[in-house]
Amino acid sequence: MLTSRRGFLRSLGTGAAAGIAMPWRSVGPAAFIFDSPPLPQEGDFIRLYSNENAYGPSTKVANAIKSSLGGVNRYPRMEYASLTERIASFHHVKPEQILLGCGSTEILRMAAFAFLGSGKQLIQALPTFEAIEHYARAAGADDIPVHLTPNFSHDLNAMLARATESTTLVYICNPNNPTASLTPRKELEDFIGKLPASTYVVIDEAYHHYVGRSATYASFIDNPLHDARVIVARTFSKIYALAGLRLGYAVAAPNVVQQMRKFATEDNINAIVTQATAAALDDTDQVNESIQRNTDDRQEFFNHAMLRSLKPIDSHTNFVMMNTFHPADQIIQDFRKNKILIGRRFPAMETYVRISLGRPEEMQAFWRVWDTLPYLKDIAGH
Ligand SMILES: Cc1ncc(COP(=O)(O)O)c(C=O)c1O
């Protein structure tokens, strides 16, 4: 795998920019969330498109995964309870406040089905992570998208203006995917305080660890509002590098957890992830190294962007969004022809591309391809 990727990187350096038609296989049930691109059936693509942790889990976590293999013939029901307790003690909350999900995507699904339905409304930003919007529609609710402000934070005044008694759920992704931008904590507190009493608020903190020091950011888990309408979603898919094992969780009031749990898939947690995530929570060195590495990789990306007079949106995550003043579709396709997958289309920001940060050699390949695309040379003057 590694050898062929190295070989491939070398071949990129020698100008392998010709179109390569790749066969695609259909993807599983969650594919409706993503309009592109499906997983390649074969070939060795550089994946800068799903905001994963490109470096993988630590040795301690990998060992926990190996040692859990002997238990895969059992339903992990006892482990469900112990992992719930572990996460609760990690966040200094009661176990009744923790709800586990098959990725935080399942948390979003549970929230949509618990709090939305026919005649009810979800308010969310445009663009933002789309999963909850799809689940809201599946639950029969209306979806009200509200454009981000010009500086890419949630337009909380505009969201508030759209909120009515029927608005039973608001989704706030902070930092926001795909823009990598922050919405100030103080403004969020004022906003939540002014929402109708019957409106629940999901704060999605999938990218929490990547924020770094910021006077305007504070997690709603670390600094809770003590408002029973607030549900915080977290995931093991990003900083902990376990996207393929699928574990997310919510921290919420016990009665909210109970309401949401009714919509959980029975036995939604697997026998491997229970042990892997416990090890990941213990491995604080890995988390700190991952944060530092991401800070370095992000800085390197911005250095490259500056060299080319590009102006990406300030990033508080492990990905970067940038205006190319050119249809994103074409750029995505041209990178794909060069065996690099970059973030999907975001119709509300048609000329922006989202690039997940990869390993240094992968990012070098990215910039090499960037420099071969003639139409991208002209955008520096904008
Ligand atoms: C903001 C946000 N929330 C949730 C998810 C889903 O993560 P998980 O892998 O935990 O389902 C993602 C995935 O990219 C995301 O960007």
Side-chain angles (χ1 to χ4, degrees), residues 33-34 49-52 101-108 128-131 171-178 204-207 233-238 242-249 318-319 344 354:
I33 296 168
F34 310 108
Y49 77 138
S50 290
N51 304 341
E52 298 148 343
C102 178
S104 54
T105 304
E106 194 189 16
I107 299 295
L108 301 180
T128 193
F129 185 63
E130 307 95 329
Y171 174 70
I172 303 283
C173 185
N174 198 34
N176 189 45
N177 180 9
D204 189 336
E205 296 187 351
Y207 300 98
R234 288 276 186 99
T235 178
F236 280 89
S237 298
K238 308 300 174 183
L242 293 171
L245 285 189
R246 316 301 302 126
L247 187 75
Y249 58 95
N318 62 344
F319 57 90
R344 61 189 181 275
R354 191 197 67 186

Side-chain angles (χ1 to χ4, degrees), residues 58-281:
S58 68
T59 311
K60 283 183 191 156
V61 173
N63 287 338
I65 291 171
K66 278 184 218 148
S67 70
S68 64
L69 290 177
V72 296
N73 55 324
R74 306 285 179 194
Y75 291 108
R77 290 181 186 149
M78 292 188 345
E79 288 82 355
Y80 188 105
S82 55
L83 182 59
T84 300
E85 276 165 25
R86 179 73 187 83
I87 293 174
S89 82
F90 182 77
H91 287 304
H92 310 291
V93 297
K94 298 190 195 101
E96 303 82 69
Q97 290 178 261
I98 301 293
L99 178 64
L100 304 184
C102 178
S104 54
T105 304
E106 194 189 16
I107 299 295
L108 301 180
R109 178 167 65 72
M110 288 188 250
F113 281 91
F115 302 116
L116 293 167
S118 176
K120 296 184 174 165
Q121 290 169 346
L122 166 78
I123 296 183
Q124 52 153 31
L126 184 70
T128 193
F129 185 63
E130 307 95 329
I132 201 164
E133 167 194 330
H134 292 283
Y135 292 130
R137 290 211 201 106
D142 291 328
D143 159 52
I144 301 183
V146 175
H147 279 279
L148 296 171
T149 66
N151 66 1
F152 307 103
S153 68
H154 286 70
D155 192 337
L156 299 174
N157 288 334
M159 290 173 108
L160 204 53
R162 301 296 303 273
T164 67
E165 291 301 320
S166 310
T167 309
T168 45
L169 195 60
V170 171
Y171 174 70
I172 303 283
C173 185
N174 198 34
N176 189 45
N177 180 9
T179 48
S181 48
L182 287 180
T183 300
R185 162 77 187 217
K186 177 75 182 68
E187 290 176 23
L188 283 171
E189 286 180 22
D190 293 346
F191 167 73
I192 293 167
K194 289 178 191 159
L195 283 171
S198 53
T199 307
Y200 288 85
V201 183
V202 171
I203 311 265
D204 189 336
E205 296 187 351
Y207 300 98
H208 158 79
H209 293 89
Y210 298 113
V211 174
R213 250 173 270 134
S214 166
T216 62
Y217 177 83
S219 160
F220 278 81
I221 300 181
D222 303 339
N223 291 64
L225 263 196
H226 301 295
D227 182 324
R229 298 171 304 155
V230 175
I231 301 151
V232 186
R234 288 276 186 99
T235 178
F236 280 89
S237 298
K238 308 300 174 183
I239 199 80
Y240 297 108
L242 293 171
L245 285 189
R246 316 301 302 126
L247 187 75
Y249 58 95
V251 181
N255 64 322
V256 172
V257 165
Q258 275 176 24
Q259 270 174 278
M260 289 171 64
R261 181 169 284 134
K262 291 179 199 150
F263 298 91
T265 303
E266 200 67 30
D267 293 312
N268 60 350
I269 302 305
N270 68 69
I272 294 177
V273 80
T274 47
Q275 303 213 18
T277 47
L281 285 178

Side-chain angles (χ1 to χ4, degrees), residues 8-67:
F8 163 59
L9 290 172
R10 271 197 302 274
S11 75
L12 271 181
T14 56
I20 302 162
M22 295 302 300
W24 303 100
R25 72 171 157 84
S26 65
V27 287
F32 68 88
I33 296 168
F34 310 108
D35 59 356
S36 70
L39 290 173
Q41 187 177 36
E42 56 186 65
D44 198 3
F45 280 66
I46 291 177
R47 298 180 183 207
L48 309 177
Y49 77 138
S50 290
N51 304 341
E52 298 148 343
N53 183 330
Y55 295 90
S58 68
T59 311
K60 283 183 191 156
V61 173
N63 287 338
I65 291 171
K66 278 184 218 148
S67 70

